[in-house]
Amino acid sequence: MTDCKRLEHALLDANVSKRDLAKSLNISEQALFNKLKNISEFKASEIVKITELLNLSAFDRDAIF
């Protein structure tokens, strides 16, 4: 299960909007909303992109996902 609060803090720290994140992942904002509410899960390829986009450490990545 994704730690959505931690992910949202990482987005704020990186100054990346949810809209920009959705565009980067090639998904709709609704699909991102579902993932942020743990209705659906992030794919491995999406986790890799988020890690790169937000410059997450391995520790932070593992804590979030």
Side-chain angles (χ1 to χ4, degrees), residues 6-56:
R6 197 169 193 155
L7 178 55
E8 289 186 24
H9 283 271
L11 286 167
L12 287 173
D13 289 345
N15 199 29
V16 175
S17 70
K18 292 176 186 174
R19 175 174 284 163
D20 290 338
L21 179 59
K23 286 180 184 178
S24 295
L25 298 176
N26 258 351
I27 61 174
S28 69
E29 289 181 53
Q30 183 62 47
L32 179 61
F33 175 82
N34 289 341
K35 292 172 189 282
L36 291 175
K37 295 295 181 187
N38 282 313
I39 295 169
S40 62
E41 294 184 10
F42 286 95
K43 297 177 185 177
S45 61
E46 294 169 338
I47 293 170
V48 170
K49 284 185 181 180
I50 292 169
T51 301
E52 292 170 356
L53 180 67
L54 303 182
N55 197 27
L56 298 175

